[in-house]
Amino acid sequence: MKIPTIKKEFNIVLENIAADKSISHRAALFSLLTNGECRVLNYLYAQDCLHTLEVIKQLGAKVQIKEDELIITPPEELISPNVVLDCGNSGTLMRLLIGFLASSKGFFVLSGDEYLNKRPMKRVSAILNDLGANIYGRDEANYAPLAIAGKNIKYFKYHNYLKSAQVKTALILAGLLSNGCEVSEDELSRDHSENLLKLMNAPIKVENNIVRVEPITQKLKPYSIKVPNDPSSAFFFAVLCAISKNSTLKLKNVLLNKTRIEAFVVLEKMGANIKYEIKENNYECIGDIIIKSSELKAVEVSENISWLIDEIPALSIAFLYANGKSIVKNAKELRVKESDRIKAVLENYKLLGVEYEEFEDGFSVIGKSVKGNNFNLKSFADHRIAMSFSLLAKDYEINIDDTKCVDASFTNFYDILSNFGINNEN
């Protein structure tokens, strides 16, 4: 896809940003733990979260969509389906399901597309198998397809050394549905699961980065929530504003959970002018973010990586406009996302002619070193890589080999870019 030119200056308010993907996944899956109708406004109807809806239907849930409201009625008992549960390209869905189904009665088979079935699942399956779960798959259940024969597992304690919210949530679900658990972390990972489970009156306590879970003795309380806009999706436009001239952008109704806005904090450290306006603080903190264009300086990113792992591709574009050498460290997790995102970023850096260096756990790049004007770049079938490098259309002629992958999380991304002076040309 050729990315048409973006305006040099703008003053825009954005409301129709993609809904939060992490919360949407959980809002659908956690409904299976309740004893009644759950209602969700502003659910993310993108490929990854649509797969979640299909999976819960195959597990017995009734799903209705009325105008902008998603209504989910859980089954009395989970169905053991006679079909493979297709997770598409969603690592979040597959990993959460491993934890959920490992302690659920029934037999289940999980699979995904060619890319998901190459992503590591042992980080969840190995922990649970050590506790007595029955999870089978290639390379000792590291790669899907996976078969799960659900069973009641013993109480366990685990330290989440990967700082992964997916691992933490999978273990919490396994503990809730069996004999309880304790999951500890050195650094708080995304806590959307804990926040939603508290709203559901789940037997869960959180203190000093330790989550203690007791087994569920009865179905949990149904919920009615509105999913805020996704800060990871909003961040692409924040970067676009920061690297522009004489521009202002207001992002409406964005999730402001501290584990999700670290990329905005990094952008502030680079010199961006950013303000936050809190609008509500119920099960999550939600508000508006205002960004004004700025002169950016280089930065080192090596802390709170789990809070911004999805935004590093977009930050890699901000680095190109910064004065000096920017550095990313302690981000080895980038190697096992939808693509090897370190490789993906650096392959495109190479095509841009910039000066960079690769590390096992990150990279460095010299800002303002792009050589040329017309570039054919690669998405590596990764939605965040495609969207990030599309931002370069502000100053360069950009063609990206595959942008269909963007539908995984942000179906109207290129439509929103029309607000910035683009005519969408597929």
Side-chain angles (χ1 to χ4, degrees), residues 14 19-20 80 106 211 249 255 335 337 372 410:
L14 284 183
D20 190 77
S80 183
V211 181
L249 175 66
L255 175 66
R335 297 282 190 187
K337 301 297 286 184
F410 203 162

Side-chain angles (χ1 to χ4, degrees), residues 208-267:
N208 298 324
N209 292 351
I210 300 174
V211 181
R212 294 183 176 89
V213 171
E214 296 178 11
I216 293 175
T217 57
Q218 59 185 9
K219 292 290 186 78
L220 301 180
K221 184 181 76 171
Y223 46 84
S224 179
I225 61 171
K226 182 175 182 178
V227 179
N229 288 332
D230 194 320
S232 300
S233 296
F235 189 66
F236 296 107
F237 304 108
V239 168
L240 181 58
C241 183
I243 64 177
S244 298
K245 300 292 184 183
N246 304 317
S247 297
T248 302
L249 175 66
K250 187 171 189 176
L251 301 163
K252 299 279 289 181
N253 302 316
V254 178
L255 175 66
L256 298 182
N257 183 305
K258 70 176 183 179
T259 69
R260 297 295 304 283
I261 59 170
E262 185 69 10
F264 290 89
V265 174
V266 172
L267 204 56

Side-chain angles (χ1 to χ4, degrees), residues 4 6 12 35 91 124 144 158 181 196 217 219 227 251 271 282 294 372 374 402 422:
I6 298 172
I12 291 175
N35 62 0
V124 176
Y158 184 76
C181 67
L196 184 52
T217 57
K219 292 290 186 78
V227 179
L251 301 163
N282 297 320
S294 320
N374 195 320
D402 171 23
I422 288 184

